[in-house]
Amino acid sequence: MASHSPGLCTLNELLLWHGEGRIPLRRFAKRHGCWQGLDSAVFYAQVRALEAGLRLRLGAAPGERVAILAESSPEWLLADFACLAAGVIDVPIYPTLTAEQVAFILNDCAAVGAFVSTPAQAAKIHAQQSALPALRWICCFADSDGGSLEEPGAPAGGPCRESKAALQATNGSDQGKKWRATWTELLAHEPGDSAAAFAGRLRTTPPEQPATLLYTSGTTGSPKGVLLTHANLCANLNYSTLDFDYGHDERRLSILPLSHITERHMAYVDMLYGGEMYFAESLDRVPDYLRELQPTALVSVPRLYEKVADAVQAQVAQKSALAQFLFRWAVKTGEAMIPYRLEGRTAPAWLRLRAALADRVAGRKLRAKLGGHLSKIISGGAALAPAVARLLLALGVMVDEGYGLSETSPVIALSRPGGRRLGSVGRPLENVEVKIAPDGEILVRGPAVFAGYYHLREETAAALQDGWFHTGDVGRLDADGFLYLTDRKKDLLKTSGGKFIAPQPIEAKLKASGLIAEAVVIGDGHNYAVALLVPNWPALEAQNIACADHPAACTSDSVRAVFSTEVERVNATLARFETIKKFALIPSDFTIESGELTPTIKVRRRAVEANYRDVIAGLYR
């Protein structure tokens, strides 16, 4: 088991280790129905060619910004490391964003170029190109002419025909041209210097050099650019991996977008320890990939684990009364094992015997559906509902919670072997300081904390005070140093009576039954709280509740009676001022496209309140 930091100083040093053959690594993506790999030597050679093409063909200079608008793939990481090697600051953009949202980020950071995955992504930029005066070129991974930004009569390849200086001197009409260079052309580019000179530049990269500019998805307001240096990212990599015993035999299924800081961090972890990385084509295929690849590591947002728990409960609800009884017995037995599993202690012999039998009834089947070999399962991006974590742990599935933000590169605290508490996100990393402000806000200090928001002085001053980063999250530290998340500070609701309500714990309780897929508690400025509930339709159908017509079911007395019971169940655990007085059922899921979810699958409360303004108003009549 790892007991000391790898001592990584820059990400370019990590790339150099691969070039020197010190770390074996394979990245896999499914192409034409087959998993195709890319080993360390090929990866290094391709990054070297791309870096030369980026500098010499496309004219990108150190410190300039280049966007990566693409789904997760080996090409994404190649573009990332080509930018890092060239001293260019890359700007990841979620591929699910709209053309207007993409244009905002490109314009805000004055990106000079963009790597895109497909013509469809290129088209988003094409639609907004008149508003992007700084953008000079686009390179598409797909090498397709369809949807390219090359204007009629413009020479393909752009800056290879005209120098960067000439481009800067062009008149206003020419600045509208977005030159195209294909991915294949860049990969074929001759290195601009010797292998030794390239390695020397990697080796001498200053740790304080800016590496990436991440735009927070933001539950309110416009996105803000988070500027992270090599030192920020490596400080986190060096300590977040301790105690997990990563090795060359690791197989990780990548399901989050690489534009998500957590997924990108894990990709660097795979590179640091030489594990295998498999990129999922879609979330719908994740169950198939788990069975096919039998991964040893999985990192996701809480929603995936909530769906796993929901699916288990829905399947059990369809079984016989005896099977349901045996499942409940198995879960109860597993719950008795939880303290021993968390602390790594040996349970009494009689309990181990009962637990082994309970595992044959339920736990083993669930783990088989997850591939049967998962030893490292991490949840991040938001708080995992305690009821979900408890159910999965009772069934023998240990989910370690992590906590962090883009501004902290990202990990602040992490549950890990030797340091686990149910409901906690673990202890802070060894090189991270955490304290709780008088109002409950979590404050963080350490080498992984960013220096500020891109050209936003006031926002930076508000977030960084006296060397402490104000996270905007509310939490507590127990006597043993374990951190617990309570809520988002800015999400706290203040009733017209002056009482503060933390909505997230209430929403987690509402979703705990498995019948509610999503819940949003409303009450700011009102004299009581209400809730918008999205039913878990498959779970209702499994209980033989008629709900095929979702809009009609939302107004059905029989269906509403089911959810009234659920609301009352939760109300019984709340203070009187927190209780949900009324609720409305929403027929369809919240989506990214509607603006109700961020790309990291967090609810945008303001968007939900705006989209359902009339429904909410009806609850307060």
Side-chain angles (χ1 to χ4, degrees):
M1 184 173 291
S3 58
H4 58 84
S5 162
L8 187 66
C9 295
T10 71
L11 294 173
N12 283 346
E13 184 181 16
L14 177 58
L15 174 63
L16 185 59
W17 291 354
H18 284 268
E20 294 172 343
R22 293 169 57 178
I23 304 175
L25 171 68
R26 299 201 74 186
R27 303 156 187 78
F28 293 88
K30 207 151 198 179
R31 306 284 162 77
H32 310 293
C34 299
W35 290 101
Q36 297 182 7
L38 188 68
D39 64 22
S40 290
V42 174
F43 185 86
Y44 184 80
Q46 291 191 357
V47 168
R48 187 181 171 201
L50 289 168
E51 187 269 350
L54 192 59
R55 286 189 300 108
L56 305 177
R57 184 179 184 82
L58 299 176
E64 289 186 323
R65 277 74 57 204
V66 168
I68 305 177
L69 175 60
E71 296 77 13
S72 296
S73 67
E75 289 84 359
W76 200 106
L77 286 173
L78 286 167
D80 177 30
F81 274 90
C83 290
L84 293 170
V88 170
I89 301 171
D90 61 30
V91 185
I93 301 179
Y94 284 96
T96 52
L97 295 188
T98 65
E100 292 77 11
Q101 292 168 325
V102 169
F104 174 87
I105 293 173
L106 292 175
N107 206 33
D108 189 70
C109 71
V112 299
F115 288 105
V116 298
S117 54
T118 63
Q121 297 294 358
K124 292 180 181 178
I125 303 176
H126 186 280
Q128 301 288 324
Q129 63 176 315
S130 61
L132 303 171
L135 195 70
R136 300 196 299 263
W137 56 267
I138 287 180
C139 179
C140 184
F141 298 161
D143 269 358
S144 170
D145 288 333
S148 74
L149 299 193
E150 185 179 15
E151 293 192 0
C160 66
R161 304 285 183 93
E162 295 188 42
S163 68
K164 181 186 174 191
L167 280 176
Q168 292 173 333
T170 54
N171 60 34
S173 61
D174 286 334
Q175 286 177 353
K177 295 180 180 179
K178 305 298 181 273
W179 303 103
R180 180 177 63 85
T182 70
W183 183 252
T184 301
E185 287 171 341
L186 292 187
L187 284 176
H189 203 284
E190 289 295 326
D193 48 14
S194 67
F198 178 68
R201 286 194 287 114
L202 297 180
R203 191 175 289 110
T204 57
T205 301
E208 66 274 10
Q209 180 172 297
T212 190
L213 182 59
L214 307 174
Y215 276 80
T216 59
S217 54
T219 52
T220 61
S222 299
K224 298 189 292 288
V226 176
L227 191 62
L228 298 178
T229 65
H230 285 264
N232 291 147
L233 293 163
C234 291
N236 212 244
L237 279 169
N238 287 332
Y239 285 90
S240 66
T241 54
L242 302 185
D243 301 325
F244 275 101
D245 194 23
Y246 281 98
H248 296 338
D249 57 350
E250 215 69 63
R251 296 186 309 279
R252 188 177 67 85
L253 178 61
S254 170
I255 60 178
L256 296 174
L258 278 165
S259 9
H260 193 302
I261 182 61
T262 299
E263 181 56 40
R264 188 173 177 187
H265 176 83
M266 288 307 303
Y268 294 154
V269 169
D270 294 333
M271 293 186 67
L272 187 59
Y273 292 97
E276 293 183 349
M277 187 188 324
Y278 294 83
F279 294 104
E281 288 179 298
S282 70
L283 291 178
D284 295 338
R285 297 291 308 281
V286 167
D288 297 332
Y289 291 149
L290 289 171
R291 289 189 293 267
E292 176 186 355
L293 299 172
Q294 299 182 343
T296 60
L298 181 68
V299 179
S300 183
V301 292
R303 187 64 187 132
L304 174 70
Y305 306 113
E306 290 170 359
K307 286 187 175 182
V308 170
D310 289 347
V312 168
Q313 292 171 323
Q315 290 172 5
V316 171
Q318 293 179 308
K319 295 184 179 296
S320 66
L322 176 60
Q324 292 184 39
F325 171 80
L326 289 174
F327 177 80
R328 290 194 296 270
W329 173 82
V331 170
K332 186 175 182 180
T333 301
E335 287 177 339
M337 285 290 295
I338 286 178
Y340 301 97
R341 289 171 177 164
L342 287 173
E343 299 168 19
R345 294 187 290 118
T346 302
W350 64 269
L351 182 54
R352 295 202 308 272
L353 182 63
R354 287 184 61 183
L357 181 58
D359 193 56
R360 293 180 65 89
V361 172
R364 185 182 301 180
K365 296 175 183 177
L366 173 59
R367 294 196 301 277
K369 290 182 179 179
L370 297 176
H373 291 76
L374 283 174
S375 59
K376 302 172 182 68
I377 309 176
I378 297 174
S379 175
L384 180 65
V388 172
R390 189 174 187 83
L391 173 63
L392 295 178
L393 185 52
L395 296 174
V397 177
M398 175 74 72
V399 179
D400 284 306
E401 274 200 82
Y403 166 60
L405 299 94
S406 298
E407 292 89 339
T408 56
S409 305
V411 185
I412 294 171
L414 183 63
S415 177
R416 45 195 154 157
R420 291 170 168 142
R421 294 279 174 85
L422 197 63
S424 168
V425 293
R427 294 189 179 101
L429 301 186
E430 284 82 345
N431 64 342
V432 174
E433 294 180 77
V434 171
K435 70 177 182 179
I436 308 299
D439 63 356
E441 184 175 9
I442 299 170
L443 309 184
V444 181
R445 183 168 65 182
V449 175
F450 79 136
Y453 295 111
Y454 189 65
H455 65 59
L456 295 175
R457 292 185 179 180
E458 291 184 7
E459 287 83 350
T460 298
L464 294 168
Q465 300 177 30
D466 299 323
W468 291 90
F469 170 57
H470 289 237
T471 64
D473 291 313
V474 177
R476 63 181 178 87
L477 285 165
D478 69 12
D480 297 319
F482 284 87
L483 180 63
Y484 295 80
L485 301 184
T486 306
D487 214 316
R488 284 290 294 169
K489 182 178 178 180
K490 64 184 177 183
D491 285 345
L492 290 176
L493 310 177
K494 188 175 184 180
T495 67
S496 56
K499 297 285 189 179
F500 283 99
I501 298 175
Q504 288 187 355
I506 301 174
E507 290 160 357
K509 290 180 178 182
L510 287 167
K511 293 188 289 184
S513 71
L515 294 178
I516 299 172
E518 194 58 79
V520 176
V521 175
I522 310 292
D524 202 41
H526 297 282
N527 63 343
Y528 58 86
V530 300
L532 302 181
L533 308 178
V534 179
N536 183 343
W537 299 111
L540 288 176
E541 292 171 357
Q543 294 192 11
N544 296 318
I545 298 173
C547 57
D549 184 340
H550 294 175
C554 287
T555 60
S556 164
D557 290 342
S558 59
V559 172
R560 286 188 59 82
V562 172
F563 289 95
S564 180
T565 300
E566 292 301 310
V567 169
E568 290 307 313
R569 172 185 61 81
V570 172
N571 280 344
T573 69
L574 304 175
R576 184 174 180 180
F577 70 89
E578 295 177 305
T579 56
I580 306 300
K581 301 298 191 294
K582 297 180 181 180
F583 67 90
L585 300 180
I586 307 301
S588 56
D589 289 339
F590 300 143
T591 65
I592 295 174
E593 292 73 20
S594 66
E596 294 154 359
L597 296 180
T598 71
T600 54
I601 321 299
K602 297 176 184 175
V603 172
R604 280 194 169 106
R605 294 182 182 275
R606 289 189 182 178
V608 170
E609 290 180 17
N611 291 353
Y612 295 96
R613 184 181 294 108
D614 293 343
V615 174
I616 296 170
L619 295 174
Y620 283 108
R621 287 196 188 103

